[in-house]
Amino acid sequence: MIEQELEKIRRRILIVDDIAFNQRVLEKIITKMGHKIIQATSGEQALQLVEIDYPDLILLDFKMPGMDGIEVLKLLKEDVRYREIPVIFLTATEEIDAMTEAFAAGAVDYITKPFKTAELNARVNTQLRALDHAESIRRKIIEQHELIHILTHDLRNPLVACRGLMELLEDGDTIVEMVAPNVANSLQKCLNTIELVRKKGLLEQEMAKLDLETYDLLELIQEVLASWETAFTDKNVKLINRVSEGIQVKVDKTSFIQIFLSNIISNALKYSYPDSEVEIYTEDTENETILKVRDKGMGIPQYMLPIIFEPRKVTRRAGTLNEESTGYGLSLVKKLVMSYGGDMHFESKAKSEDTSNHGTTAVIQLPKIAA
């Protein structure tokens, strides 16, 4: 089963070696394994490349001119973004005694020169199996944390609403017939959320097929925005909704509103600067309805964009007013939009990269529903 999973995943492997012959040998062997090769000829170049193309595994030469392998490894382990990347040292036979220092610094294995294809395959695959297993566990933990957030946070709003309505009844100023429909609606939202978590398999790696129905996109968005109005006002962020009536989408309503849209909109608000704006609008193609949520906030660093949906990669960041961020949610959000038959990605420029045009746009692609 694990071998089958490894065959499906094309990993990014960074080779760091100052000898061109070693680079060619390693490239030939690892390319045959089906993985993408990233190459660096020095420790300094390796540290630059991990910021551009986050590798899944690093093969690191022990002895190089300038910054040696131990120095590179220590710098990687000091950075929270890269400390989880497994590192295998490439070493000459006479350097094996020095591997004690390498393991103490955080290396996971070593391969001796000259390279033997069978040994290299075995040691690389061992680390990729461990990586696959760790990703599966981390994904499960992240999604469980996200579901706990849903149950503790998203259930709170309708329950608080119920309590407020019941208090009105206790004061004797409100007629039961006026309050009952709102109480019933709030409680139904709670039940829908519980049912989604309990029956639809959000705790499982392979989520059960959701019950998709056709809804008016504008109505779904307005239902979400009603619960975020106060938060936008408190941060003085202007919310512009340009979505037109009559655009149909086929989704599971509970997950789309309470998990998917709520997550996208809360992130747009969290990373927006006060006195800025968040805009929601749509674009049409022949086969897709494209929903976009654009902010003018701090933006996403370029190194983070390729890994933003990967649960094992560290993407936690506080908001513009230091709002707390768990880093959870986006892997589940991606999973949900794919269950609707769609996809999503982010387009972004961080403020440090572009001071005049910074911000992020969440691009959500949904199958077009014929009118």
Side-chain angles (χ1 to χ4, degrees):
M1 181 68 178
I2 293 176
E3 292 291 349
Q4 292 175 351
E5 288 300 317
L6 285 174
E7 290 175 5
K8 296 175 186 176
I9 301 172
R10 189 168 184 253
R11 298 291 189 179
R12 297 181 292 273
I13 299 179
L14 172 60
I15 299 171
V16 189
D17 198 307
D18 63 304
I19 305 298
F21 176 77
N22 291 339
Q23 288 272 10
R24 289 195 298 272
V25 171
L26 290 168
E27 180 181 11
K28 183 177 180 180
I29 295 172
I30 292 177
T31 300
K32 283 186 177 180
M33 295 170 68
H35 302 299
K36 177 183 176 181
I37 299 298
I38 312 161
Q39 293 179 316
T41 56
S42 69
E44 293 83 356
Q45 186 184 17
L47 293 173
Q48 293 172 355
L49 286 176
V50 293
E51 294 194 14
I52 300 169
D53 197 350
Y54 191 109
D56 295 295
L57 176 67
I58 298 175
L59 304 182
L60 179 60
D61 193 15
F62 182 73
K63 185 177 290 186
M64 295 180 290
M67 185 182 294
D68 65 22
I70 293 291
E71 292 178 83
V72 174
L73 179 59
K74 287 180 178 178
L75 288 172
L76 289 170
K77 295 302 178 183
E78 288 172 3
D79 194 319
V80 67
R81 296 175 295 173
Y82 311 127
R83 64 177 52 157
E84 299 299 324
I85 303 173
V87 175
I88 298 177
F89 268 103
L90 309 173
T91 179
T93 304
E94 63 269 18
E95 297 167 345
I96 291 178
D97 291 342
M99 284 299 101
T100 301
E101 184 182 2
F103 286 123
V108 296
D109 204 348
Y110 68 89
I111 299 170
T112 55
K113 306 174 187 178
F115 305 118
K116 298 180 179 67
T117 301
E119 179 189 14
L120 188 112
N121 281 339
R123 292 182 183 271
V124 167
N125 276 332
T126 294
Q127 295 308 318
L128 294 182
R129 287 191 194 95
L131 184 63
D132 190 67
H133 183 62
E135 285 182 354
S136 177
I137 293 173
R138 181 174 173 82
R139 187 180 299 111
K140 178 75 70 176
I141 291 171
I142 286 175
E143 291 184 0
Q144 287 177 340
H145 275 277
E146 178 62 17
L147 291 170
I148 290 170
H149 170 78
I150 293 166
L151 291 172
T152 58
H153 180 269
D154 294 351
L155 291 181
R156 182 178 181 275
N157 289 340
L159 290 174
V160 168
C162 284
R163 185 180 64 186
L165 291 167
M166 297 308 294
E167 287 173 353
L168 290 175
L169 287 177
E170 289 176 359
D171 290 340
D173 297 329
T174 305
I175 301 172
V176 173
E177 287 80 359
M178 295 174 58
V179 173
N182 291 325
V183 172
N185 183 55
S186 294
L187 292 176
Q188 188 60 51
K189 286 182 179 179
C190 295
L191 291 172
N192 289 345
T193 300
I194 293 169
E195 182 72 4
L196 181 72
V197 172
R198 188 175 71 87
K199 279 194 170 182
K200 298 304 181 183
L202 292 186
L203 290 173
E204 302 301 326
Q205 188 169 348
E206 295 300 326
M207 186 169 55
K209 187 175 180 181
L210 296 174
D211 299 323
L212 306 184
E213 296 182 23
T214 302
Y215 297 93
D216 186 274
L217 179 59
L218 178 59
E219 291 179 5
L220 297 178
I221 290 173
Q222 287 174 333
E223 189 168 339
V224 175
L225 296 184
S227 63
W228 284 97
E229 185 176 351
T230 300
F232 273 86
T233 300
D234 289 345
K235 196 169 182 179
N236 200 29
V237 174
K238 184 179 181 181
L239 182 59
I240 304 170
N241 181 11
R242 300 192 189 278
V243 177
S244 304
E245 293 182 1
I247 299 173
Q248 303 292 304
V249 292
K250 196 169 186 177
V251 297
D252 169 77
K253 183 177 180 180
T254 301
S255 63
F256 189 75
I257 289 177
Q258 294 179 225
I259 302 177
F260 183 79
L261 276 181
S262 288
N263 195 300
I264 298 298
I265 291 170
S266 68
N267 278 345
L269 175 62
K270 182 190 305 177
Y271 298 120
S272 288
Y273 292 104
D275 306 313
S276 65
E277 64 184 36
V278 170
E279 183 180 7
I280 305 173
Y281 57 101
T282 58
E283 295 176 356
D284 269 348
T285 68
E286 184 177 352
N287 299 312
E288 292 179 326
T289 293
I290 301 175
L291 174 66
K292 295 190 175 184
V293 180
R294 181 184 60 84
D295 66 61
K296 295 182 179 179
M298 62 170 62
I300 303 171
Q302 289 303 301
Y303 84 88
M304 195 181 289
L305 284 172
I307 62 172
I308 195 77
F309 297 108
E310 297 183 30
R312 80 180 182 92
K313 308 295 171 59
V314 179
T315 58
R316 293 188 299 271
R317 297 184 303 151
T320 54
L321 294 183
N322 207 34
E323 298 99 322
E324 184 179 349
S325 177
T326 62
Y328 303 128
L330 287 180
S331 61
L332 180 57
V333 164
K334 175 90 167 183
K335 186 175 172 181
L336 282 170
V337 76
M338 292 180 72
S339 76
Y340 309 145
D343 205 348
M344 72 172 295
H345 65 276
F346 289 98
E347 298 170 353
S348 187
K349 288 185 178 178
K351 188 170 184 180
S352 59
E353 297 161 354
D354 188 336
T355 56
S356 62
N357 192 31
H358 54 83
T360 299
T361 301
V363 182
I364 300 104
Q365 301 152 256
L366 294 169
K368 194 167 188 176
I369 307 298

